[in-house]
Amino acid sequence: MSEIMLATQSVRKSFGSLEVARDVSIELPRGARHALIGPNGAGKTTLINLITGQLAPDGGRILLEGVDITHAPVAARVRRGLTRTFQINTLFPDLTPLESVVMAICEREGKAAQFWRPLTSHGDAIDEAHEILARLRLADEATRTTRHLPYGKQRLLEIALALATKPKVLLLDEPAAGVPKDESAMLFSVIDALPEDMTILFIEHDMSIVFTFASRIIVLVAGGVLLEADPDTVRSDPRVREVYLGSAHGH
Amino acid sequence: MTTPASSTADNHAWLRRQARWSPYELAFWLAVLIPFWVFPTYLTLASQIAITALFAVSVDLVLGYAGIVTLGHAMFFGLGAYAAGLLTKAGWGEPLSGLVLSGLLTALVGLLVSFMIVRVQHLALLMITLGLGLLTAELANSLGWLTGGTDGLQGVDVWPVFNHFEFDLWGYTAYAYALAALFVGVAAARRIVHSSFGLSLRGVRENLNRMPAIGSPWRRHLQIVYTISAGMAGIAGAVLTHTTETVSLDSLSFQRSADVVVMLILGGTGRLYGAILGAAIFMIARDQLSDMNPQYWYFWIGLLLMLVVLFMPKGILGGLSGLLRRLGG
């Protein structure tokens, strides 16, 4: 049994009378490639918000490498190695990808507050930023303003920013949201090429992508875990067909 | 126009270019020397502009770079002005150490205030800064025994700069002094905005929501820049005291806090020189227009402000640099 990197234990959250997380307990072992699926409104993004600290749970615990982080601020969790990306681009429109990634690296290294040191003196950070951008096929766009990048490139930058924090656990909230089908396969091939010991949980609606890239699938329905299993089991499960695949035709 | 970079060496070069002193900047610093010879009768106005520009640059650091909207920054300007004045009245009239001490004091006050500032945003932030500014002004007004109240602080005696350059009636020393302070202030501000810290400030301004998600202690960043800005505003106030040898309640007024924001909008925020240009336009307009009609000169500033906001959303300097880029292809 490999080491559990991230675990939620009976995490609960309600907005008024609406239960958006009902005793959610999941475990991600090191190097996981788990997909989180479920119909719209199942609470997938909410679960990511709870795990990363954008939302505070009403009950339950969240453990990162066995350490209780339930009440840690968002930034503290990131510094411990738990990073997410956003379904809706959450970028720095007037910065270039180079600047954005260098900034994230300097923040990770605790050098961001050194106001007396020229940015150009952070040579290692600039080299590392290039390496990350090249890995995400953004090297040619490194010095173009983010707001002028094509949407697909912006989705890649969303991931590049997360990688710059050197995550041990990476939560990808619909990385291919809004990207045309042919481009989304390319995007997932980039994700697939990430280091093997990085623990990844991703939300995705396209079932062919889910079945190709996920080693395990968590099915979330109405705030609760309906099933957690390997792709073949999920594919043949009648409940999943009914609640998820049935309603997913709208996509 | 930026060209695509595909190697890390290109990236290093591109970042270096962003921070380099441009020929326009050099031309600007030469041009500001012209009043010494060409408009000696306007030297007093020129020093006022330089002082106000330094104040505007300090506000640009928090407003333009970090996105902290403030309507109370005159609080630091005035505190620095009074600190410098009281120091000379206490018997220490050496100006340079006076600047440093006033700046340190206002930076300390800025640091204390910053704990409150970084906890609020938007309208609440405006109200907190406004409230603090008004409180400070009223406090100075009621402490008449210390500040001179509405009569202002009298009997400020400043020693010659470097024990040699007396502050003369014509304003040569005053302008040189204010200009030197502005230059040092801009050089320091430049260094800050072109550091990794400056980059993180732009990150806060561009997308506050992402900053925690990349692990940034952004509140601490804002506290640091607010403290630096308060110190710089205090130094600007101290320069005013040294060059005019008096301090009035006007240095703490809401009007001054509001005017500096108008200057930044006119010149363009987040580009340092926009603050200087805005201060120059505002001060020259006030000088010229209030000669014509002392009561209604603000009408023209209002009109100019509306035109700029409507047609040059990045301010006059932003509009000009956009135009230059387009002409340059």
Side-chain angles (χ1 to χ4, degrees), chain B residues 103-124:
Chain B
L104 286 176
L105 176 82
T106 50
L108 181 67
V109 175
L111 176 65
L112 294 177
V113 170
S114 72
F115 285 93
M116 201 177 345
I117 294 292
V118 296
R119 260 157 190 78
V120 290
Q121 283 172 345
H122 311 302
L123 201 55

Side-chain angles (χ1 to χ4, degrees), chain A residues 75 78-79 90-96 99 103 107 111-112 115-119 122 127 130 139-140 143 158 161, chain B residues 2-6 8 11-12 14 16 191 194-197 199-200 202-203 206-207 210 212-213 215-217 221:
Chain A
V78 174
R79 288 194 288 271
T90 305
L91 303 169
F92 306 102
D94 263 349
L95 302 188
T96 62
E99 289 171 320
M103 171 172 71
E107 292 283 7
K111 291 173 177 167
F115 57 83
W116 57 91
R117 243 181 94 180
L119 184 61
H122 297 280
D127 289 339
H130 176 72
D140 288 338
T143 57
E158 184 69 40
L161 275 179
Chain B
T2 53
T3 46
S6 47
T8 186
N11 289 343
H12 283 273
W14 185 84
R16 266 197 304 278
R191 193 164 175 105
H194 290 122
S195 68
S196 54
F197 178 68
L199 187 54
S200 284
R202 287 165 66 204
E206 288 290 303
N207 197 339
R210 187 72 194 229
S216 169
H221 294 339

Side-chain angles (χ1 to χ4, degrees), chain B residues 137-148:
Chain B
E138 282 310 321
L139 193 66
N141 191 12
S142 63
L143 295 178
W145 58 271
L146 183 70
T147 63

